[in-house]
Amino acid sequence: MPDIGALLSPNAVAVIGAAPDDEMLRGRILYVMKQHPFAGAIYPVSRSHGEVQGLKAYPSIEDLPERVDLAIMIIPAQFVPDELERCGKAGVKAVQILTSGFAEEIGDDGAKAQQQLREIAERYDMAVVGPNSEGFASTKVALCPTFSPTFNNQTRPRVPEWRKNGHIAAVAQSGGIGFAFYDRGRPKELPFSYVVTTGNEAAINGFDVIEHIIDRNDTDVFLMFMEDVKDPDTFRRVAEKAMRAGKPLIVTKVGKSAAGERAAASHTAALAGSYSTYQAMFRKYGIIEGGDTDEMVEMAMGFSLFGHCLPKGKRVGIVTGSGGGGGWMADTCSLQGLEVPTLDAATRAVIDARIPAYGTSQNPVDGTAGAVREIGYANLLGMVRDSESVDAVIGITSARRASTYENERANLTKLARETEKPVLIWSYTNPADEAVTSLSQIGLPLFTNNNNCARTLYEMSEYRAFRERFLRAPEITTGSSATKSSVKAALDSANSVLCEYQARPVLAEYGIGDGQARMAKSAQEAVDIAAGIDEPVALKVQSPDILHKSEAGAVVLNLKTADDVRAAYDKIMASAKAYNSSADIHGVLVQPMAPAGQEMILGVNQDEKFGPILMVGLGGIYVEVLKDVAFSPVPFGTDDARRLLDQLKGAALLHGVRGEAPADIDALVDLMVGLSKFAADHGEQIAEIDLNPVLVHPKGQGVSIADALIVKSPS
Amino acid sequence: MPDIGALLSPNAVAVIGAAPDDEMLRGRILYVMKQHPFAGAIYPVSRSHGEVQGLKAYPSIEDLPERVDLAIMIIPAQFVPDELERCGKAGVKAVQILTSGFAEEIGDDGAKAQQQLREIAERYDMAVVGPNSEGFASTKVALCPTFSPTFNNQTRPRVPEWRKNGHIAAVAQSGGIGFAFYDRGRPKELPFSYVVTTGNEAAINGFDVIEHIIDRNDTDVFLMFMEDVKDPDTFRRVAEKAMRAGKPLIVTKVGKSAAGERAAASHTAALAGSYSTYQAMFRKYGIIEGGDTDEMVEMAMGFSLFGHCLPKGKRVGIVTGSGGGGGWMADTCSLQGLEVPTLDAATRAVIDARIPAYGTSQNPVDGTAGAVREIGYANLLGMVRDSESVDAVIGITSARRASTYENERANLTKLARETEKPVLIWSYTNPADEAVTSLSQIGLPLFTNNNNCARTLYEMSEYRAFRERFLRAPEITTGSSATKSSVKAALDSANSVLCEYQARPVLAEYGIGDGQARMAKSAQEAVDIAAGIDEPVALKVQSPDILHKSEAGAVVLNLKTADDVRAAYDKIMASAKAYNSSADIHGVLVQPMAPAGQEMILGVNQDEKFGPILMVGLGGIYVEVLKDVAFSPVPFGTDDARRLLDQLKGAALLHGVRGEAPADIDALVDLMVGLSKFAADHGEQIAEIDLNPVLVHPKGQGVSIADALIVKSPS
């Protein structure tokens, strides 16, 4: 396994391609590096200079006076493979390649060259990051090999020295955005441990970097900007590891839209993939999605300071000296899914005794500006925080002056440190730099945006609940080995499409339906089968060449008499032949009509990257008009299945909202879990499974699968 | 009409209650005022001081050496009414009251005192703003009577001197938020003409202020924060005036949630009212709703600089040197409702000739950082702007250094000034102050948030389209005077509830349904009526005491034979009596069954503030589960009706999305327009109208009103 530690804390560094002119990118890197007191040696490697920016330069990596862990490479693309080879031979353990012109280029040459880099990296077991990256910064060891202006001529220390924990790492394919996280977060006095930009990810990808940083245990929150997931297994392993460690991943994934996908493909050669699948994967691992840099940075701030005491619920107390600000925040909290309850009587009595008649203790607690000063901001926040009605507090302020907080520094620090509930601060005015510093030293997160503040609290609460579930979730057992091999054998021997009559028995091995499928090869056989069924029957053509049976006119429902069945059989055969004269028709399925129920659809589709993804939706118009569907990777358990259903906008329909009996959600959940296990065990063989429609009957009466289809993966 | 001009540009000002100590609010106001070179005299009025902060003070408003237009009042609440009276007598034309302790207090006393202020204001025709306000700033005349720290010790001029137009006014009930707009916007070099905080709005409300400012014609964009609308007529008049003048109103309304409503009620005594009605009112007048201060300020920035050339459509070209930033912005634009099309071949050819192989011209145009420098940022933006494929351009930048723009100042200025398409700039890093200033002088709006940038462009495009429609919309003619008086007479003579058989003929006068209602008073009458109808019939009880007929078991559908009709009649009567033994039963309505159609509901409800509001929704589960309804004030025309339908999430159902014939949307639209006219003409008499369900038949086959009910307003 390549050693990313050699990247982030090397013994010494070579800068291959270093140039004297700091206006050029090749010169800038060294120029920036030299501004930071990295303890190891920095060796410029240059063919044309004996000295670069005051440092002795060497003609080749092989000529250095010591073996270096890390090489930074910024030379023309065509020289990169040979140079990487040379690094490998010289015992270099990590290489960050900044050079562009690989897989992001039009044509195959760049992609081939990139593949070459990957092979060399593997051969020498080197941690190769890039190409097409913007470098990185490892703040603790003061190593900043990047041409990003962010670490050039800094006016503040790399990290606020009073922050001993709650460090944040930014990991991004895009150099601009990766360093922008730091650029936005540093003025908020947030402690960044690392900024790593991974570019095209020829070898090491962002999740490799995160895994290494989790193992270092010097970072508590991750900000990530990604264009694709290069290695799904690494993603899964690292996402799970992060959740187990309680270190939140706050992520933006580009390529939600066609244009965004185009952009990602063109500039780091990423195949963006289906965004709904990504969302399902994020949800599975409690990954938090952000929509803009400030939102992501402010969310990281909340976790950075209060990750150790996340709120136990969604109830928030709001303390304000501005009535307008209080109302606005109350609305914002509600929109973001938080609750703003009226405070308990005991707390209100305590507060009412201290505020004027034109203030209010109900929540938002509007102390009025004067009373806030008199009672003390820390005291008022503390009174609300101690209320049994709330899980967290938002304090509203105008952070124009540090003195507001400096005057109460001891009390506010106590409030921030000795608490089991987080206290977040929102300033409705532009905070002064000194006020930002003051609150950071005190230990309270200062938000500049009301939405970000409320959303952060919501996500903190969700994260806590998610993690508790995640840690106690039992391992999911899929099919027994006997079941697995029996189904595998059936799938092996099947043709590429399994019609309903073929799919049913296979699915039944996982408890999906009863497996019954009565096929008729003649009208008389149909009549005979129907005679053995008490209810009215449905007839459906069975042909791998006719997947849209209704469209083909090859389904007839609700048949009650032998004559009707006979006529229906003949009509179906005629329609099917008319629809597709060369169709291979296996026969006609005769089934009892399912009793009424809430129509749903269930399906499994194969995602190129992440494998089988289960889909569930409310049937008919809900799917077609409202796209009301939810996705999940497989397998999953009953709790997950319930939460998946809760994602549906029309979920209330299952609860009998119109006065009907509630539907048999337990049976639906069992079906979903069974299907998820089937998909997990046989995903490789399967391109698609459709159970459409599934009818969910009233509670206690189960579900009926009214149609089923399996399409095998092309082998 | 009180003269708000006397507030914003008075000859001279008295400060009633001025105190020497500038740490007290009473001293702060004068202290702040004196920092700004207002041309008129400032007279402290104080009972206890002969001189205040170096200015000669006067014991009473009556003792001043000249009549003053404006008095600022900050004295204890109990003295305010008398003092206001004294101002009236002294010929003061405008008074801003900062004192708290009026209607926002618990109990009636404050509300009564506030009513007193209103009466005094009316008696003297004074423009009284407040009480419980934070003052105002009139930047051009350098008058800043406020204790807000925003105008205290300012480090920049009140307004950037190079901004000659595109001024922004902030009007807010909340002082904190009103001045926060300025506080957030001034560092972005935005020109604010006025900040006015209106507090409890005892007399003058925010829309009065806006109307006055529109008439002054020195302001192009309005930012507004409100807790309620005090006077609906003023709101309507001013909202329309603003749209006609092309001056956008960007508004946040507090009280969307229960907690927000509570907050508004407690601190400026606002009755927040139904948020869905507010949204309908905002939509009617093209008012733009904002969610946070930065978003609102950044939207105002877009209009401030490019209000004169709003985009003709939603197609945006993105120019970036950061691939990651480009992808992110492309996604953001798509999420915000913009289109990011691939550029036309001609434009691409021009660009491709100038960028390296690892750049891309497709859109986002990723010129790469190097190429952007070489071609010139202005040139590259211009190339994309000139593409026939786009209506606007977003340029992505890292605004860390002013030199990036200063080096191209002439070209960028030309780009900004000589354009028919707006060009917006987003910086993914924190902009440097000098860069902000540079771009402001150049005339390009610099956004710090990707969402705000994309949303601003979207709203600019929407605003243009809305205004074009608004200006050319024909006046809506409601019922003729004969129709009006006939319906009025019918409503006058009706009881409080008009059952279906009574409502139908009244509604029919406005073309709503055919008015037919055949009532049976006996089973035989029902049979006779049914005999004259070709189709199956429905029977429904008619009683003002049984509004939920189905629940009462007093509806029977789809009756085909005389026997069935007779039995149904008897069942209905029995069920109705069982349901409510004292119900006044008028008879049983016999109707042909409506043919199948898309189920909708239409209704009208009386809003306390804004009068009748029409509601339309997709029937059944759509309303009940998904709350898929849309609201509009009345009357409206066919275009508005169509747009109202487009607001429904399930609107596609009407277009025949499942392969069915499209529904008769024209007939539905006619029905909606008719109902809106009915409601407009007779709103005062009506509490509620329900047409539920309405069945919309396939195109060309009209609509059926399957049930109708009118509830009169309590007179």
Side-chain angles (χ1 to χ4, degrees), chain B residues 2 42-43 105 126 134 150 193 210 238 247 264 282 286 354 356 416 530 540 543 583 594 605 666-667 673 703:
Chain B
I42 300 176
Y43 301 110
E105 283 215 345
M126 279 188 293
E134 202 166 320
T150 317
S193 49
I210 290 176
V238 176
K247 296 179 190 293
F282 292 164
R354 308 285 299 270
K540 293 181 258 184
S543 164
N605 279 282
D666 292 344
V673 170
V703 296

Side-chain angles (χ1 to χ4, degrees), chain A residues 660-676:
Chain A
E660 302 101 344
D664 198 336
I665 295 177
D666 292 343
L668 175 60
V669 160
D670 285 346
L671 178 62
M672 289 164 67
V673 170
L675 184 62
S676 84

Side-chain angles (χ1 to χ4, degrees), chain A residues 4-23:
Chain A
I4 297 173
L7 183 87
L8 299 179
S9 43
N11 67 331
V13 194
V15 182
I16 302 173
D21 180 359
D22 69 88
E23 286 301 305

Side-chain angles (χ1 to χ4, degrees), chain B residues 649-711:
Chain B
K649 297 184 212 81
L653 280 177
L654 292 167
H655 300 289
V657 73
R658 302 185 73 190
E660 303 100 344
D664 198 336
I665 295 176
D666 292 344
L668 175 61
V669 160
D670 286 347
L671 177 63
M672 290 165 66
V673 170
L675 183 62
S676 85
K677 292 179 178 180
F678 185 97
D681 286 347
H682 306 287
E684 283 184 15
Q685 284 185 277
I686 285 167
E688 190 183 333
I689 306 176
D690 288 306
L691 310 184
N692 181 12
V694 168
L695 297 165
V696 188
H697 306 305
K699 198 171 170 68
Q701 298 175 37
V703 296
S704 305
I705 300 167
D707 202 350
L709 174 74
I710 298 176
V711 180

